[in-house]
């Protein structure tokens, strides 16, 4: 079942086991069960600390992991390969005595949860799913009253369809839908245990440099500031930013290929190694000048959405951008019920079904090409008279026989009962109205900066809501700098965002030296 490369990787992991682990295997005689049995037997053959016992579980084929200490039930319904192989490897190590890598505050939040039976429906090609699976498994390891089951959507398609799951990851609690899409440990705990209060951010003395944001611009600014030896903090709803939604990255110098979650995990490790105070679970809501009267210092104060306040001598705003909404009926109502954004994550759920892609730029055409290999038919709708994507992408698109392109198309609404069933658009040349029967719609119409919270501040914005910056990254508010996709930089790219993060941190350091 496992190829030699995976066996070698897993054998190295299993050598780290401190205690014995029992795999409880629930299988039948069908092909899916035999596939899972082969996986489990291969795993058990790699370590004398791993044994297999047949048992009856809620789902078949499935297996659970049991260690020598009290913990919640951890179940894998399906074969955890693809992106979920790492989730399995971490789970067996944690059940086998390796402490999960979470801080004390996170551990306390997990242990405060009274109980819950959680299930996460995933796709093995989804790069956002593992973080949810791994976070929920950690909760089950640290709190014996929490149970978690990973359900592989293609192997248990009837479950996904019965629950109207058209986007992954889809998290359920006690059988009821709880949350969908990309999540972090912090955001999951906010949903399950309640958000962080202002007390979690209390007793913080003033920083020298405080970064707002969690993407590559913010992380790079934190690295550059901390390496200068100044007291550095970073506050964000979660660490990672939009990059963690990107699967394949091939345009970062020094990396022939990497994936968004891996790239940002490496940045987080570097940020942590430099002693940066990383504070997650809250959003900035205001920034303004303040005064430290005791030391006669000018400070910048950042107010958070939970009422907490942080002070710093300088601030770097790197709040990034998000997918732009097109503002039509059904766009938000059918999110995760047919409306999606990530083809890698959600594309496999539309196998054999008709879908639409709104947007004819590079991202839209790349999405259409990706989907064409998975779905029955793809219709691309572009508002303008012609596609905007690079010619090489258009040539590839035109070579596919299950893709149609409609230009001059103004999408007017997305409709259905409990899930998306049709799309309506108007031909901008003839004003004729048309209907497309689709079960999925992937919206790819660009980005909007996360700067709404700055509109009533002294930080000057462009008419597009982007932060105006000087060559050193400084803004119109003294002591405040900005970087990344939230600013007016021309090209929104990872490497460019990272570069502006370095510029803003160095600009802030120069400001500190002069003041």
């Amino acid at each position: 079942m496992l190829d030699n490369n995976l066996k070698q990787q897993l054998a190295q992991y299993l050598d780290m086991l401190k205690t014995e682990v029992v795999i409880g295997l629930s299988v039948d005689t069908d092909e899916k069960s035999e596939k899972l049995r082969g996986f489990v037997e291969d795993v058990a053959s790699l370590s004398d600390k791993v044994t297999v016992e047949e048992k009856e579980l809620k789902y078949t084929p499935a297996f659970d992991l049991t260690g020598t200490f009290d913990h919640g039930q951890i179940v894998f319904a399906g074969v955890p390969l693809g992106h979920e192989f790492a989730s399995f490897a971490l789970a067996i190590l944690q059940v086998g005595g390796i402490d999960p890598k979470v801080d004390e505050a996170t551990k306390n939040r997990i242990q405060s949860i009274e109980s819950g039976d959680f299930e996460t429906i995933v796709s093995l090609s989804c790069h956002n799913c593992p973080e949810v699976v791994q976070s929920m498994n950690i909760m089950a390891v640290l709190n014996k009253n929490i149970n978690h089951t990973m359900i592989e959507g293609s192997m248990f398609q009837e479950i996904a369809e019965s629950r109207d799951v058209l986007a992954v990851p889809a998290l359920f609690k006690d059988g009821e839908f709880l949350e969908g899409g990309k999540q972090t440990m912090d955001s999951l705990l906010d949903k399950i245990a309640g958000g962080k209060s202002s007390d979690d951010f209390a007793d913080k003395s003033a920083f020298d440099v405080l970064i707002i944001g969690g993407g590559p611009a913010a992380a790079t600014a934190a690295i550059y500031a901390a390496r200068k030896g100044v007291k550095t903090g970073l506050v964000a709803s979660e660490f990672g930013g939009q990059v963690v939604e990107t699967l394949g990255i091939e345009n970062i110098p020094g990396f022939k290929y990497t994936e968004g979650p891996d790239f940002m995990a490496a940045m987080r490790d570097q940020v942590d190694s430099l002693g940066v105070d990383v504070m997650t679970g809250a959003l900035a809501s205001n920034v303004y000048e303040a005064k430290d009267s005791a030391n006669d210092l000018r400070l910048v104060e950042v107010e958070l959405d939970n009422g907490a306040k942080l002070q710093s001598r300088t601030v770097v705003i790197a709040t990034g951008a998000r997918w732009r909404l097109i503002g039509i009926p059904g766009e938000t109502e059918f999110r995760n019920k047919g409306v999606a954004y990530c083809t890698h994550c959600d594309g496999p759920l539309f196998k054999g079904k008709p879908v639409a892609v709104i947007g004819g730029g590079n991202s839209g055409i790349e999405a259409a090409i990706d989907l064409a290999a998975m779905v029955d038919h793809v219709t691309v709708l572009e508002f303008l008279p012609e596609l905007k994507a690079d010619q090489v992408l258009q040539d590839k698109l035109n070579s596919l026989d299950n893709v149609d392109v409609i230009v001059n198309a103004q999408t007017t609404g997305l409709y259905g009962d409990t899930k998306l069933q049709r799309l309506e658009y108007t031909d901008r040349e003839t004003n004729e109205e048309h209907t497309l029967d689709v079960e999925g719609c992937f919206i790819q119409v660009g980005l909007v900066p996360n700067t709404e919270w700055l509109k009533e501040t002294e930080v000057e914005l462009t008419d597009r809501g982007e932060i105006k910056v000087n060559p050193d990254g400084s803004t119109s508010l003294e002591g405040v700098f900005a970087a990344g996709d939230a600013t007016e930089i021309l090209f929104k790219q990872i490497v460019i965002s990272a570069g502006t993060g370095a510029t803003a941190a160095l600009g802030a350091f120069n400001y500190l030296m002069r003041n």
Side-chain angles (χ1 to χ4, degrees):
M1 178 64 204
L2 292 174
D3 61 33
N4 288 331
N5 182 43
L6 284 180
K7 281 185 177 180
Q8 290 175 5
Q9 288 183 47
L10 190 56
Q12 291 175 348
Y13 291 139
L14 296 181
D15 282 343
M16 300 166 61
L17 289 173
K18 294 182 178 180
T19 58
E20 295 182 350
V21 176
V22 177
I23 301 179
L25 181 62
S26 177
V27 290
D28 208 331
T29 57
D30 58 273
E31 183 179 348
K32 293 178 181 178
S33 290
E34 289 304 310
K35 187 176 180 181
L36 184 62
R37 182 189 292 276
F39 174 86
V40 169
E41 290 178 348
D42 278 354
V43 171
S45 70
L46 299 175
S47 173
D48 57 6
K49 290 184 178 178
V50 179
T51 57
V52 180
E53 295 179 357
E54 297 212 8
K55 66 189 299 186
E56 186 175 336
L57 296 172
K58 179 180 179 180
Y59 299 111
T60 297
F63 66 89
D64 68 1
L65 301 173
T66 304
T68 59
F69 62 98
D70 285 341
H71 58 78
Q73 188 177 38
I74 298 173
V75 178
F76 289 87
V79 183
L81 291 174
H83 288 291
E84 292 303 338
F85 182 73
S87 299
F88 166 72
L90 286 171
I92 197 169
L93 287 177
Q94 290 159 0
V95 169
I98 304 297
D99 291 335
K101 292 177 64 177
V102 295
D103 58 41
E104 199 62 30
T106 299
K107 185 180 294 186
N108 291 337
R109 294 183 79 193
I110 292 170
Q111 292 172 343
S112 72
I113 300 169
E114 292 185 0
S115 64
D117 289 315
F118 297 90
E119 296 176 341
T120 306
I121 298 179
V122 307
S123 166
L124 298 183
S125 61
C126 168
H127 58 284
N128 288 327
C129 294
E131 186 162 13
V132 174
V133 173
Q134 291 165 26
S135 296
M136 295 309 304
N137 285 345
I138 288 173
M139 291 188 204
V141 168
L142 296 176
N143 186 332
K144 65 181 181 180
N145 298 314
I146 295 175
N147 303 316
H148 179 244
T149 300
M150 181 214 81
I151 301 174
E152 204 272 283
S154 64
M155 184 171 282
F156 291 88
Q157 193 166 4
E158 70 282 359
I159 294 177
E161 290 180 352
S162 70
R163 299 186 187 182
D164 290 332
V165 173
L166 292 174
V168 289
L171 179 64
F172 292 79
K173 180 184 180 184
D174 301 327
E176 298 294 325
F177 179 76
L178 179 68
E179 192 58 87
K182 185 180 83 68
Q183 302 292 326
T184 64
M185 175 68 84
D186 276 329
S187 63
L188 289 169
L189 285 173
D190 288 347
K191 190 74 176 180
I192 298 167
K196 288 184 178 179
S197 71
S198 59
D199 292 340
D200 293 298
F201 298 85
D203 302 322
K204 301 277 186 182
S205 59
F207 295 94
D208 293 314
V209 180
L210 176 64
I211 296 105
I212 305 172
T220 305
I223 291 167
Y224 267 74
R227 282 175 53 83
K228 289 294 186 181
V230 298
K231 184 181 179 183
T232 305
L234 182 150
V235 61
S237 60
E238 58 191 26
F239 191 94
Q242 203 176 48
V243 177
V244 295
E245 298 181 19
T246 304
L247 183 57
I249 304 173
E250 299 177 325
N251 56 2
I252 297 177
F255 293 83
K256 287 185 179 179
Y257 178 85
T258 186
E259 297 183 353
D262 295 336
F263 182 72
M264 290 311 298
M267 293 197 87
R268 176 62 189 264
D269 286 344
Q270 189 172 3
V271 168
D272 287 341
S273 72
L274 291 167
V276 176
D277 187 352
V278 178
M279 300 161 282
T280 57
L283 288 168
S285 60
N286 202 356
V287 59
Y288 44 83
E289 181 179 344
K291 195 80 173 177
D292 180 357
S293 55
N295 297 301
D296 194 28
L297 282 176
R298 181 191 182 279
L299 295 172
V300 178
E301 190 158 273
V302 176
E303 193 170 324
L304 305 182
D305 60 357
N306 60 10
K309 294 180 180 180
L310 301 172
Q311 291 187 330
S312 182
R313 295 176 66 193
T314 62
V315 165
V316 175
I317 301 172
T319 46
R322 63 187 183 278
W323 289 111
R324 184 182 299 276
L325 298 177
I326 54 179
I328 58 173
E331 182 177 17
T332 57
E333 293 87 342
F334 291 108
R335 186 165 188 173
N336 298 329
K337 299 294 182 183
V339 174
Y341 299 87
C342 175
T343 60
H344 301 296
C345 299
D346 303 329
L349 297 172
F350 295 91
K351 183 178 180 180
K353 299 176 180 180
V355 303
V357 173
I358 300 177
N362 283 348
S363 60
I365 301 310
E366 287 171 353
I369 293 169
D370 191 19
L371 288 165
M374 296 179 273
V375 305
D376 177 61
H377 190 270
V378 182
T379 302
V380 177
L381 295 101
E382 166 56 44
F383 182 82
L384 297 176
E386 58 185 22
L387 298 180
K388 306 185 294 290
D390 295 342
Q391 191 60 47
V392 63
L393 292 174
Q394 294 191 45
D395 292 342
K396 175 64 176 176
L397 186 77
N398 293 332
S399 72
L400 304 173
D401 57 11
N402 65 334
V403 178
D404 288 332
V405 176
I406 303 174
V407 296
N408 281 315
Q410 181 174 357
T411 307
T412 55
L414 301 165
Y415 302 97
D417 294 327
T418 59
K419 56 185 178 180
L420 179 65
Q421 295 172 313
R422 69 185 186 279
L423 175 154
E424 295 183 3
Y425 72 93
T426 300
D427 186 314
R428 296 175 58 239
E429 283 191 318
T430 65
N431 287 324
E432 292 182 6
E433 297 180 355
H434 300 271
T435 298
L436 285 176
D437 292 329
V438 295
E439 295 185 46
C441 180
F442 290 78
I443 300 175
Q444 304 282 316
V445 292
L447 301 171
V448 58
N450 296 317
T451 58
E452 292 87 352
W453 63 284
L454 292 170
K455 287 182 179 178
E456 302 301 321
T457 72
E458 294 181 34
V459 177
E460 188 176 358
L461 307 176
T462 69
D463 55 5
R464 296 178 61 184
E466 297 171 330
I467 303 170
K468 291 185 177 182
V469 290
N470 298 310
D472 64 349
S474 60
T475 72
S476 55
L477 179 56
E478 184 183 344
V480 175
F481 298 75
D485 289 357
T487 72
E488 58 185 338
I489 57 170
L490 185 58
F491 300 108
K492 313 300 187 184
Q493 297 289 310
I494 295 170
V495 68
I496 294 174
S497 290
T500 62
T503 297
L506 293 174
F509 183 71
N510 284 342
Y511 175 87
L512 291 173
M513 287 195 299
R514 289 171 169 78
N515 294 274

